[in-house]
Amino acid sequence: MAIGAVVIGAVVIGAVENGAVVIGCAMLRVVLLSVLLALGGACARRVVRETPGSAPAPATAPVSPTPTTAVAPAAPYSTRPATQRLTVVHLSDSEAGLLPDPAQPKAGGLARTQAVIVALKERAGGNVMVLHGGDSFIPAPELSLEVDGRSAVLTGNDQLLVQASGLGNHEFDLGESFLADAIKAAAFPYVSATLEVKGGPLRALVVDVAADTPWAHDVKGKLVPRVKVCAAEWMEGACRGLVVGVVGSTTEQLRVLSKGASADLAVPRDLDGVRAAVQSQVDALEAEGLHIIVLLSHLQGIGRDLELAKSLRGVDVIVSAGGENRLASERHRLLPGDVVDRACAALGEPCYPAARVGADGKPILLVATAGDLRYVGNLGVSFDDEGVLTQVDAEASHPWPVDEMSLLELRATLDGATVAFQQRALTALAPLLEPVAQTDVWLEGTREEVRNRQTNLGDLSADSMLWAARTARPDVAAALRNGGGIRAPIGRLDPSSY
C-alpha cells in the first residue's frame, strides 16, 4: 500500500467526529484548510482558550494546571554590598507575531511590544539591555510579505531595540541562504557558541573571535559566538556603565528540528558538547575581565537549561528559549486564558526567575517567556564588586503581558511610525484573514498538549490530510501529523463571561 501525505510526528490519528470539519485561519496562524494541511502549508497563531461549559480563568489570577507548592532552593547570593544593578529585558520565539491576535485584539503585536520595551528601558533608568532568545522568525505569510522591499517580520525585529539575539532552529527553516540574508540585514548580531559553520552562505558572516570579544554594536549583521553589550550609554567610543558578556547556544538537535540545516553546519552531539562549547566562551569573557555574563540558550525548553545550568561556571543569567515556557509566579498577571507554566510546580516559588546553583557554587538565574510577541520579560538584579549576584528585585522582575493594561501601567506610548508600519502589513494581509468556517468545539492545539498526547485538533489535522490525499490517491492508507507543526489552538475567550 502507498502511504501519502505523511508528516513524521507523534500525533495519533483518530476519527473526525461530526464529519470532516474545515477550519479557517484566524490571523494567519490558526491551522488552515484541509488542502493546505495536506500541503504542509498551515499557519498557526496562539489564541486564547474557550471551553464550552466551563468558566475561563480570570485575567488577574490565572491558575496553574498543576498547583505550585514547591519552594525554590535557596540560592547562595553574595552577602557583600551590591555595587552594580542590571535590568535584562528579554523576549524569545517571536516567530511571526507581527500583528495583534484577533482573538485578543488588545494584546500582542509589534507596536505594543515595542512600546513595552521602550517603557521598561526608561523605567530601569540605566544599565539595561534588550536580548532575544532566538526563533526571531518562522515561515509564515508575514515573513513572506515585503514592506518597502524587505520582509515585514525582519523589519519588525529591528524595531524592538534588540542588542543581541540567540539563534534558534526556526531561523533555518527556509535554508541557509535566506538566513544569511536575514542576518546580514539585521540591526543586531546573532550569537551562537554551539554552531560551527564550515562553508556555505553563512560562512562569510561568521566572526571568528579569538582574544578580544567584539562589541555587539560593532558586529551587527554578523554571526558570533560571544559579544560584549554596553548596558549603559555609549559615548566617545566607550561604554559609560555596565558591560555584560553575552554567549549564545543553539540546540544540538538542530538537524532533527529544521530541514534547512545542511552538512556545512555542525552542532554538538549532546548536552555535554553544548556545555563545553558554552563554557569555553564564558571562560574567554572572564579572562578579559568580564564577570557578568548572560547566556541566550535555545535548547528547546527550560528542562534542558536546568540541566545545563548546574554544569556551568561563571554564568549569571540564562534566557531560556525554544520551549515558550511561561515562567511566572502566582501573583503575576498574565493574559486572559494563559496560566503559569507547568514547570513552575517543580521549580517552586519564585518561578520567575528560577534560581539554581552553578558548578562554581554561585547563583544562576533562569528566565523564560511565551512567544509570538505576547510577553516581554523584565529581570532586575544586583551584583557585588566581583560580579556575583546579591539579590533579585522581586517587584521589578516578572513577565509583562503585551496588552493595553501594561501600556497603561507603564505609561507607555505607541510609536506612530510603528503603528503605521503594522497597519500596512495588516492591510496587505487582510485577504487572508477572512474566516472560512466556524467550530462550536474548542480545538486543543496548545504546545504542551499537542506535543505530548492525542488532541482533537491533532486528529482533525491528520484526518484532513488523509482526506485531501485520498482525493488524488484513493489508496493512501494513513497520514501522520507532526505535533510541532500545529502552532496554536482554535478558540477564544468571551470577556463578557467574567
Side-chain angles (χ1 to χ4, degrees):
M1 293 184 296
I3 297 179
V6 172
V7 181
I8 297 174
V11 177
V12 179
I13 301 171
V16 178
E17 297 180 359
N18 302 320
V21 182
V22 180
I23 303 302
C25 176
M27 213 57 180
L28 306 176
R29 291 179 185 68
V30 176
V31 178
L32 257 176
L33 298 168
S34 58
V35 174
L36 292 181
L37 286 169
L39 295 174
C43 48
R45 169 71 174 175
R46 181 177 298 278
V47 293
V48 288
R49 184 166 189 167
E50 177 185 46
T51 305
S54 64
T60 55
V63 179
S64 172
T66 305
T68 302
T69 56
V71 177
Y77 293 109
S78 170
T79 58
R80 296 163 58 91
T83 60
Q84 306 166 97
R85 177 178 168 81
L86 173 67
T87 299
V88 180
V89 178
H90 63 95
L91 66 160
S92 67
D93 303 282
S94 51
E95 298 182 349
L98 182 71
L99 304 175
D101 186 342
Q104 290 179 302
K106 294 186 178 182
L110 175 67
R112 288 194 191 97
T113 305
Q114 180 197 59
V116 169
I117 291 173
V118 169
L120 289 173
K121 288 191 66 176
E122 292 176 350
R123 174 176 279 204
N127 285 340
V128 56
M129 60 197 303
V130 182
L131 302 173
H132 196 295
D135 277 1
S136 57
F137 57 88
I138 193 173
E142 296 93 328
L143 184 65
S144 301
L145 174 68
E146 290 193 356
V147 177
D148 296 331
R150 189 180 178 214
S151 163
V153 168
L154 300 183
T155 298
N157 286 341
D158 286 350
Q159 298 177 27
L160 296 176
L161 310 184
V162 172
Q163 292 166 281
S165 175
L167 189 61
N169 55 291
H170 285 305
E171 283 93 345
F172 293 87
D173 286 349
L174 292 178
E176 292 166 43
S177 293
F178 184 92
L179 175 55
D181 289 341
I183 292 177
K184 190 184 305 181
F188 49 85
Y190 282 82
V191 188
S192 178
T194 60
L195 182 70
E196 180 185 358
V197 182
K198 302 175 181 178
L202 288 171
R203 181 59 207 165
L205 302 179
V206 174
V207 178
D208 294 314
V209 181
D212 297 329
T213 302
W215 290 102
H217 59 260
D218 286 337
V219 287
K220 296 176 181 177
K222 299 292 184 180
L223 178 58
V224 291
R226 66 180 190 270
V227 291
K228 293 183 295 188
V229 172
C230 178
E233 189 175 8
W234 183 267
M235 293 180 57
E236 299 178 353
C239 183
R240 306 298 182 180
L242 197 60
V243 179
V244 181
V246 176
V247 180
S249 61
T250 301
T251 174
E252 79 280 14
Q253 302 176 42
L254 179 62
R255 295 191 187 285
V256 176
L257 296 171
S258 180
K259 65 180 181 180
S262 76
D264 288 324
L265 307 179
V267 290
R269 294 174 58 89
D270 51 29
L271 194 61
D272 285 340
V274 171
R275 183 208 61 76
V278 169
Q279 191 63 60
S280 67
Q281 300 301 324
V282 172
D283 292 346
L285 287 168
E286 291 194 310
E288 294 179 46
L290 276 78
H291 298 294
I292 298 178
I293 298 173
V294 176
L295 172 62
L296 303 176
S297 182
H298 203 98
L299 299 187
Q300 303 303 113
I302 191 68
R304 302 279 290 166
D305 288 314
L306 287 167
E307 285 295 312
L308 180 64
K310 64 185 182 183
S311 65
L312 291 175
R313 306 180 309 276
V315 175
D316 299 290
V317 176
I318 295 179
V319 177
S320 177
E324 297 199 41
N325 298 107
R326 198 180 299 109
L327 299 192
S329 293
E330 296 290 353
R331 62 188 179 84
H332 294 156
R333 184 179 70 85
L334 300 176
L335 291 172
D338 284 352
V339 295
V340 172
D341 197 283
R342 292 182 178 182
C344 290
L347 291 173
E349 285 285 356
C351 188
Y352 183 105
R356 290 298 185 267
V357 181
D360 54 4
K362 297 177 181 178
I364 183 169
L365 305 177
L366 296 92
V367 293
T369 59
D372 296 319
L373 298 188
R374 290 167 58 81
Y375 290 92
V376 174
N378 190 78
L379 175 66
V381 289
S382 298
F383 299 87
D384 65 19
D385 56 0
E386 294 182 351
V388 180
L389 284 160
T390 60
Q391 65 177 6
V392 174
D393 185 339
E395 290 301 315
S397 299
H398 60 87
W400 282 85
V402 177
D403 64 356
E404 293 296 314
M405 190 175 297
S406 289
L407 296 184
L408 288 172
E409 185 174 349
L410 292 168
R411 299 183 180 180
T413 303
L414 297 179
D415 176 72
T418 306
V419 171
F421 171 82
Q422 182 176 288
Q423 184 58 46
R424 289 177 66 189
L426 178 60
T427 300
L429 295 168
L432 297 176
L433 307 182
E434 293 297 325
V436 296
Q438 293 182 336
T439 173
D440 294 328
V441 178
W442 165 257
L443 296 177
E444 180 59 83
T446 54
R447 180 188 180 102
E448 172 67 22
E449 295 296 322
V450 81
R451 296 195 183 193
N452 291 283
R453 55 192 62 87
Q454 182 177 0
T455 71
N456 58 357
L457 183 52
D459 290 345
L460 175 61
S461 176
D463 282 305
S464 296
M465 291 168 60
L466 183 60
W467 172 84
R470 283 178 172 170
T471 61
R473 291 278 302 275
D475 60 339
V476 171
L480 302 177
R481 185 60 165 153
N482 179 356
I486 298 176
R487 308 300 295 180
I490 296 176
R492 69 172 63 186
L493 283 172
D494 179 5
S496 66
S497 65
Y498 61 92

